[in-house]
Every structure is written in C-alpha cells, then in structure tokens.
Amino acid sequence: MNLLNEVMGMVVLELMLPIAAYQCMALLRRLPKNHPSRPIIERDLKSWLKGYYGEKECSYYLSLLPEEQYYIFHGLRLTDKKEFQIDLLILCQRFALIAEVKNLSKKLIFKKESNSVTKEFNNEEEGISNPILQVKRQKIQFVNWLGKVQMKGLPIERLVVISKTTTKIETTPNNLQIFNELIYAESLLDKLEELEMKYGKPTFNKRKIGQLVDLLLAHHHTPIPDILQKYKLAKDDIRSGVLCPKCQTVEMSYYSGKWHCLKCQLASKTAYFQAVDDYFLLINPTITRKQFGEFLHIEHTLIAGNLLRALNLTSTGSKRGTSYSLPKNQLLCPLDELGINLYNVPVR
C-alpha cells in the first residue's frame, strides 16, 4: 500500500495496516447496525489488528539495527505459482531472513506427532495453523521466486517470531528443536547477530543486493480481495454516500466547493476521499464517472468528473469509457495510529 525508499536508512516496505482490515472497517461503517454479519466482521477485524500490533512490536527492535546494513520489508506480497505473503523480510549482503510474526495470548502448545498447534486462552483451546510450517512454505516459495528472477545464491533463513514474551510456549521433550525455529521478538537482534557470525562473508555485493531490492519492490503487489463474496453480502447491503468523518453515520452534501455535514456543520474539501476508498475496498477495483457520481450521490456529471479527476487516479480508456483505479492499490486516506485506535478493541 505504501512504499518508502528509506526510513532510518533501512525500511524499504513500511509496515501498514492490511487491506483486509481496511475492508472490515469500511464494512462496519457502511452496513446497518443490526446486520447479522457485523459480529463476524468485528471478530475478523480484531484478528487483523492483533497481527498488525504484533508486527509493530518487531518494528521497535528492528529500529535498533545499524543503518544501511539491512533492508527491511513488511508485508511483502509476491507470486510464485500462487501469491504468498511474507510478514517480515530482512535482507543483507550475507543472507535473507524470512519471519512469520505471531501476536498470540497466553499459551501455544506444539504437538510433534500431529504437527499441530493449539492456542490456549481462559481455559479454552483452539487449533491454529502451525506457524513453523507456514514459514517453511514461504521459504520454498521465496527460493522459487528468486530463481525466476535470476537471483540465486543468497542463503535464506526462516523463523517464527512471537511478539509477546508473556506468550508461553509448550511442547514435549522430543520436540525441543522447535526452539531453533521460534523466538520472542526481543531476541530478534541476537538472532541476527548469530546469523552474521554464521555467514561471515557477503554473498551479494552492494550492486546486486540493490538490484534485488528493486526487483522485490517492482514485483510487490497489494490485491484487493472480493470482501462481499467472503461475507456473502450484496452490493445493496452497502450504504452509499459521503459519510461525515466526524459523525461517521451522517451523509454529507456537496455545494459551494465543499462537503457539508448538516449535523456538526463540518465543511471539508477532502471528506469524499474515504468514500472513494470504500468503493474500491468494497464494490470494485475500478470506477467510472457514472459510478462515482452514483456512489457519492452527485447529480451533476460535470462536478462528478471534476472531483474524480482531481484525485489523480490511474486511468484507462477514453471519454465516457474511462475507468479509474488506485495506483498500486494505495488508499487515498490511510489511517494514522490515532485513526486505527478508534477501531481498536480488546482482542484475544
């Protein structure tokens, strides 16, 4: 969603809230309060937020790394035979480290016989995907991808990172090798130092590692999944219009060059950005001038066209057949931490 060339000389792909979380937020804004799907969507949003905050814990430790020695990618999405996502990729001239980050409460139980993992919370048990197997698959896919782009030879390490030290890890005595593949976030710097010792000499020179960074950015993509299909919703379930960013539930009207809220008297030139984001997140990845006017409740086609063109979206086609989309699916108004916290509720 958002690319940064340098943050503290090392972060290439910034940690961002997942698109799926934005979709859940948009649904909660635009579905009726009594809609039967709301509890499921709220549950899923909690899960996405929990994962985001877990990765943010790792970001603190990564900020302590020496500048310009490492390249860090958060939420990197590539395609091998299928799409795959890497929570955290740490790249240097000696090696690459793939990490699956987990933010889980209380206790994780790893069972060797079944290769299964159980999460225990408040005396209740729930089976979850085995993160060690997840990161193993990601390594296979990443190695395949590197071969396709002619970047073979860099040693690839994999790791599961548990963000909270309060999460207890349990397993049987014959399965203690999992602790070679699983660490707490606070041990991440020690692990990187260990890998530096293991791979003493650089495998890639600066030019080649720079080429790999460019290739990763060029191939990274952020798809917008069909969220209505996932929750078995219809387009008619989605409330249209520009919602007041202050009142949320009140629809705004456009006149005199601004959007106006009759309830709180807010006037804004940019309030419609979120409505356009919501359309792309929920309805369709492309929009025409007619669809723009209908969704934002703008009667005059000239005004709709001017407002749409002002967004500097990617366009294809010509005249009435022109359709618009978000450049690289980067939202017009991504949330800052304050905005994310408005949706933050206690998560399990």
Side-chain angles (χ1 to χ4, degrees):
M1 288 175 49
N2 190 21
L3 304 182
L4 292 182
N5 289 329
E6 286 191 344
V7 176
M8 298 177 293
M10 65 179 77
V11 178
V12 181
L13 196 58
E14 185 185 8
L15 174 62
M16 299 293 293
L17 198 63
I19 280 285
Y22 278 107
Q23 288 181 304
C24 289
M25 291 173 177
L27 284 173
L28 294 176
R29 280 193 295 271
R30 294 188 175 273
L31 283 176
K33 294 296 182 184
N34 60 349
H35 196 282
S37 293
R38 287 186 73 93
I40 301 171
I41 296 166
E42 289 171 351
R43 180 203 65 193
D44 289 348
L45 177 57
K46 291 176 186 178
S47 179
W48 288 115
L49 288 173
K50 193 168 186 180
Y52 169 77
Y53 285 116
E55 292 186 50
K56 197 172 180 184
E57 284 282 331
C58 288
S59 293
Y60 165 73
Y61 298 106
L62 294 172
S63 71
L64 305 177
L65 288 172
E67 293 187 3
E68 299 179 357
Q69 185 174 343
Y70 292 95
Y71 298 93
I72 298 168
F73 296 77
H74 293 280
L76 179 67
R77 292 192 70 99
L78 301 170
T79 301
D80 177 26
K81 294 177 182 177
K82 294 183 178 180
E83 290 184 357
F84 65 100
Q85 178 168 321
I86 298 172
D87 283 350
L88 176 63
L89 173 66
I90 303 173
L91 195 63
C92 68
Q93 291 178 249
R94 296 181 178 92
F95 61 87
L97 174 64
I98 295 172
E100 176 73 14
V101 182
K102 293 297 181 186
N103 184 14
L104 299 167
S105 302
K106 297 302 181 183
K107 186 189 293 186
L108 290 178
I109 304 168
F110 286 76
K111 299 175 182 178
K112 183 175 183 179
E113 294 77 14
S114 58
N115 251 342
S116 62
V117 180
T118 302
K119 176 178 69 174
E120 187 178 291
F121 186 86
N122 289 343
N123 296 319
E124 294 182 8
E125 291 190 356
E126 178 186 347
I128 63 170
S129 296
N130 187 329
I132 294 176
L133 297 182
Q134 282 182 278
V135 78
K136 278 183 179 180
R137 290 192 294 269
Q138 290 165 10
K139 178 180 176 180
I140 292 170
Q141 291 172 299
F142 188 56
V143 169
N144 290 342
W145 183 88
L146 288 172
K148 289 179 180 178
V149 296
Q150 306 299 314
M151 282 287 171
K152 294 180 180 180
L154 189 68
I156 312 296
E157 294 279 344
R158 56 180 170 79
L159 198 61
V160 174
V161 179
I162 306 298
S163 62
K164 293 181 179 178
T165 54
T166 53
T167 302
K168 188 176 180 180
I169 310 298
E170 285 189 2
T171 192
T172 52
N174 65 343
N175 198 32
L176 297 180
Q177 75 277 357
I178 67 167
F179 294 105
N180 296 324
E181 307 174 78
L182 184 151
I183 64 169
Y184 291 109
E186 66 175 8
S187 299
L188 188 54
L189 298 184
D190 291 335
K191 185 65 178 181
L192 288 169
E193 187 176 344
E194 175 188 318
L195 293 174
E196 286 176 6
M197 297 290 290
K198 180 178 178 180
Y199 303 105
K201 294 182 179 180
T203 304
F204 282 10
N205 58 32
K206 286 186 177 180
R207 181 172 177 271
K208 191 165 185 180
I209 204 73
Q211 289 174 338
L212 177 54
V213 168
D214 290 342
L215 282 168
L216 289 167
L217 281 177
H219 285 78
H220 168 72
H221 57 281
T222 308
I224 299 179
D226 188 342
I227 199 73
L228 298 187
Q229 183 181 44
K230 177 180 178 179
Y231 294 110
K232 296 180 172 57
L233 299 171
K235 290 182 181 180
D236 290 343
D237 293 325
I238 305 302
R239 180 184 178 185
S240 57
V242 175
L243 304 182
C244 175
K246 188 175 180 180
C247 304
Q248 284 298 319
T249 56
V250 179
E251 186 182 328
M252 304 182 81
S253 300
Y254 185 80
Y255 56 88
S256 301
K258 292 183 179 179
W259 295 90
H260 298 263
C261 175
L262 296 179
K263 182 178 180 181
C264 70
Q265 307 305 310
L266 177 72
S268 170
K269 288 186 175 182
T270 60
Y272 74 112
F273 286 10
Q274 187 180 74
V276 178
D277 279 346
D278 288 354
Y279 183 93
F280 288 127
L281 288 167
L282 304 179
I283 307 299
N284 204 45
T286 62
I287 192 169
T288 63
R289 186 178 68 177
K290 181 181 178 182
Q291 292 166 337
F292 178 88
E294 289 174 349
F295 192 76
L296 274 64
H297 299 176
I298 302 171
E299 294 182 1
H300 299 288
T301 56
L302 182 61
I303 293 175
N306 290 338
L307 287 172
L308 182 55
R309 284 189 293 274
L311 297 175
N312 293 319
L313 301 172
T314 301
S315 63
T316 57
S318 60
K319 297 183 179 180
R320 292 186 179 181
T322 304
S323 63
Y324 301 84
S325 60
L326 291 169
K328 286 187 172 291
N329 287 340
Q330 295 184 48
L331 298 180
L332 297 171
C333 49
L335 294 176
D336 56 17
E337 287 301 313
L338 182 61
I340 293 172
N341 288 338
L342 293 176
Y343 292 87
N344 193 20
V345 289
V347 293
R348 171 175 170 174

